[in-house]
Amino acid sequence: DNMPNHQLAEADFNEEGMIDILAVLQKSGLAPSRAEARRNVEQGGVSADGTQIKDIKAVFAKEQFAGDGVVIKRGKKNFKKVILK
């Protein structure tokens, strides 16, 4: 309940209502840049709702962030709940 969170705006998604994992990491502040986010994903240090993400092309639908949102974790101690505004 006390988990830090980040709200994504409608403008963060593309025309199909999708957003890639690199953009999620960068916009939520878990990675300072897309290059750093790419490195984290390639090294296996990123998970979404407990599922490890190894593909830098992984995308999320807008609906996944509605309601409870998605818990994005980078490394052992960096995590945020990402929700749709």
Side-chain angles (χ1 to χ4, degrees):
D1 286 337
N2 296 332
M3 187 179 303
N5 63 34
H6 176 77
Q7 294 183 337
L8 290 175
E10 294 280 338
D12 294 332
F13 296 89
N14 65 15
E15 301 83 39
E16 293 89 39
M18 306 295 270
I19 187 170
D20 65 62
I21 185 63
L22 303 182
V24 172
L25 288 166
Q26 184 184 10
K27 290 180 188 301
S28 66
L30 288 170
S33 65
R34 286 181 68 89
E36 182 68 25
R38 177 188 302 263
R39 254 190 307 280
N40 294 142
V41 171
E42 287 173 345
Q43 293 170 358
V46 176
S47 66
D49 283 341
T51 305
Q52 188 176 29
I53 298 174
K54 294 182 178 176
D55 182 12
I56 59 170
K57 292 182 174 69
V59 293
F60 296 95
K62 190 186 303 185
E63 296 79 37
Q64 291 176 268
F65 296 102
D68 287 342
V70 178
V71 176
I72 304 291
K73 188 172 176 187
R74 182 184 68 87
K76 289 184 178 178
K77 298 179 179 150
N78 297 325
F79 55 89
K80 282 192 180 177
K81 181 177 279 198
V82 181
I83 54 178
L84 183 62
K85 197 184 294 185

